[in-house]
Amino acid sequence: MKARREAAEHFLKNILDMGEMLLSSGAEVKRVEDTLTRMGMASGAQSVHIFVIISSIMATMEFPGRIRVTQIRRIPRSPRYDFRKLEALNRLSREYCAGRQCVREDGRIGETLGEALQEWKRAENMRERYLGSILVTGSFAVFFGGSLVDGLAAAAFAPLICLFQSRFEKFCPNKVTFYSICSFLFGLLICLLSRQTGWFQYDRVIMGDMMLLLPGLSLMNSVRDVLAGNTISGIMRLTESLIWTGALVIGFMGAIWLAA
Amino acid sequence: MERELIELASAFFGPLGLGILFHLRGGLLLPAALGGLLNRIVFLAVSETVGEKILPCLLCSMVTAVYAECLARILKVPATILLLPAIATSAPGRMLFFTMSSLVWGDGNGAWKYGTLTAEYALAVAIGISLVWAFFMIAGKMREELWLKKR
């Protein structure tokens, strides 16, 4: 009995790991709830209750033999979107559910899921991040009416913004502070360099670099969460995204007012 | 014409860059980038006919969402990962900047004009995506219900 309870607790821990990784990778709330519920049922649970908001996951599962386990997981506030991980976790959950595996007394099935998840608990690929940021900022600076030089200038600032994000964000108490400081500092740098050198237009470069910081995925997922019936999560995410966007705007406005 | 070609090229490379930034798998980068290109082509084609910008924004976001949803079902991947890079070209970044700029220079009328345009564009994109998502969600539930009844 004790071994079965321990196996159930271990399995639920792995399920919450899965949920945390899904949420941090950019999944919407409904996807996380559905995935965890399906995996719980596929493991042999008689009832599964999952409640997800953007900052927390709560799960209760009841297994045969009146074994009921409940765990809560606090989700870190700074997700690092990773679509490759999201796709892989989605596939893993499909394969797991198709296997119809049950929690055994020795907890071995929990171990298998844990091992599979361990593979994805890795650090972000920074090379891709830098390359992607250069392409995004350069392309969007041109897209918004800039010249090739404006695109190159925006692309030149992108790695600096990424470096600043990776090194400085952890010292900020929240994303609002970070976005205000980041947009102000880089807005100031862009405006001053533009004014001093005259090589590029500061407005197009800022438009391009702004695309790197705008919380687009959060905004999109907030709409999706509301549509799917997770109104609380959707409104939380939307409010958060709008506040972050406001912080960005204030930072850039301050920089333009000072330097342009 | 040259400006439009440059716009289309950047509408391809921008979403491609977003796909790389969000660590999208190599095989999905091209579909995501093509989604961005499709988004822009639809926007330009409709705005040529209609003249104003809100309806083209709504239609292009609907077409892009349909593209992402259909491709996601074929490739068995979450639709979000294809939709986000593709829909980025609909983001009202330029309008947002002009709003900021007008506020800084004390141009109240300009700030109001660009601010409302930014909100209208954002709303058009959100409504376009929502309509498509709602359709696919309802269709999915109906299909599941029919499948369960057959069993």
Side-chain angles (χ1 to χ4, degrees):
Chain A
M1 180 71 168
K2 191 179 170 190
R4 284 178 63 84
R5 171 161 281 281
E6 278 173 8
E9 292 275 5
H10 188 73
F11 173 73
L12 191 52
K13 179 206 165 284
N14 286 328
I15 286 289
L16 287 185
D17 283 346
M18 177 82 158
E20 183 180 351
M21 286 161 73
L22 276 169
L23 214 52
S24 302
S25 302
E28 61 275 22
V29 164
K30 182 160 170 59
R31 178 175 299 279
V32 179
E33 285 182 348
D34 280 352
T35 303
L36 300 191
T37 304
R38 283 177 211 265
M39 289 177 74
M41 299 305 289
S43 70
Q46 288 175 327
S47 72
V48 179
H49 303 281
I50 308 282
F51 179 66
V52 179
I53 54 175
I54 57 172
S55 51
S56 171
I57 302 176
M58 285 157 264
T60 294
M61 292 188 186
E62 187 169 342
F63 292 93
R66 297 171 82 178
I67 296 169
R68 181 178 290 159
V69 287
T70 299
Q71 288 185 21
I72 300 173
R73 181 72 60 88
R74 182 76 166 84
I75 306 301
R77 300 299 288 164
S78 293
R80 282 278 171 257
Y81 300 128
D82 188 334
F83 288 170
R84 191 180 291 133
K85 195 191 285 189
L86 176 56
E87 190 199 343
L89 291 173
N90 195 55
R91 196 171 50 243
L92 175 64
S93 71
R94 279 177 194 259
E95 286 166 3
Y96 185 86
C97 293
R100 303 256 169 250
Q101 294 158 344
C102 295
V103 176
R104 298 207 289 245
E105 281 190 23
D106 60 2
R108 278 199 64 205
I109 299 306
E111 290 284 343
T112 309
L113 177 61
E115 279 159 16
L117 290 175
Q118 202 58 41
E119 192 197 325
W120 290 100
K121 285 179 185 174
R122 59 188 185 197
E124 192 183 353
N125 184 335
M126 290 308 289
R127 217 181 307 174
E128 277 182 4
R129 191 156 163 209
Y130 283 110
L131 178 62
S133 66
I134 288 168
L135 203 49
V136 167
T137 51
S139 303
F140 277 103
V142 174
F143 179 76
F144 288 133
S147 64
L148 189 60
V149 177
D150 296 332
L152 290 170
F157 283 105
L160 296 173
I161 294 175
C162 283
L163 186 66
F164 191 76
Q165 268 182 312
S166 60
R167 295 294 160 92
F168 184 71
E169 194 176 348
K170 59 187 172 218
F171 298 114
C172 293
N174 51 54
K175 263 190 138 64
V176 174
T177 317
F178 170 72
Y179 276 138
S180 313
I181 295 172
C182 184
S183 55
F184 178 74
L185 284 177
F186 283 96
L188 201 60
L189 195 60
I190 290 167
C191 292
L192 285 172
L193 273 173
S194 171
R195 203 167 70 169
Q196 295 303 319
T197 62
W199 289 339
F200 54 86
Q201 303 173 76
Y202 75 89
D203 50 354
R204 309 299 163 177
V205 174
I206 287 178
M207 284 184 214
D209 287 334
M210 200 162 61
M211 290 302 288
L212 203 54
L213 297 167
L214 278 175
L217 181 61
S218 268
L219 279 164
M220 201 172 74
N221 277 348
S222 68
V223 174
R224 197 148 185 162
D225 287 340
V226 170
L227 263 185
N230 302 112
T231 315
I232 296 170
S233 297
I235 289 174
M236 275 174 73
R237 223 196 271 260
L238 179 66
T239 308
E240 208 173 47
S241 306
L242 289 175
I243 291 172
W244 292 344
T245 307
L248 266 178
V249 165
I250 286 169
F252 279 124
M253 274 172 59
I256 293 168
W257 180 70
L258 267 178
Chain B
M1 184 65 184
E2 193 188 320
R3 181 66 224 169
E4 275 160 1
L5 284 172
I6 292 171
E7 214 175 290
L8 288 174
S10 49
F12 178 83
F13 286 108
L16 180 69
L18 269 176
I20 297 171
L21 181 68
F22 288 135
H23 311 293
L24 201 53
R25 179 167 52 91
L28 296 176
L29 284 173
L30 185 61
L34 287 174
L37 187 60
L38 173 70
N39 185 311
R40 202 61 193 165
I41 289 172
V42 172
F43 180 85
L44 289 172
V46 177
S47 56
E48 276 265 332
T49 321
V50 172
E52 53 113 15
K53 302 283 184 215
I54 305 301
L55 182 62
C57 206
L58 176 74
L59 287 174
C60 74
S61 58
M62 286 178 74
V63 168
T64 311
V66 169
Y67 168 84
E69 289 287 338
C70 293
L71 207 56
R73 275 153 180 75
I74 295 167
L75 300 174
K76 294 201 188 320
V77 297
T80 312
I81 67 179
L82 293 173
L83 181 61
L84 180 71
I87 209 79
T89 50
S90 293
R94 197 181 347 216
M95 292 298 137
L96 184 61
F97 180 86
F98 289 154
T99 309
M100 277 180 345
S101 191
S102 301
L103 281 168
V104 167
W105 302 123
D107 178 8
N109 289 334
W112 177 254
K113 174 185 154 195
Y114 290 118
T116 45
L117 273 173
T118 306
E120 282 171 14
Y121 277 131
L123 203 58
V125 172
I127 290 172
I129 298 174
S130 302
L131 286 172
V132 172
W133 277 342
F135 171 78
F136 275 92
M137 273 186 209
I138 293 168
K141 281 195 193 297
M142 286 172 76
R143 200 180 67 164
E144 207 176 298
E145 184 81 13
L146 275 167
W147 183 76
L148 281 168
K149 273 184 182 165
K150 272 185 187 170
R151 282 189 78 194

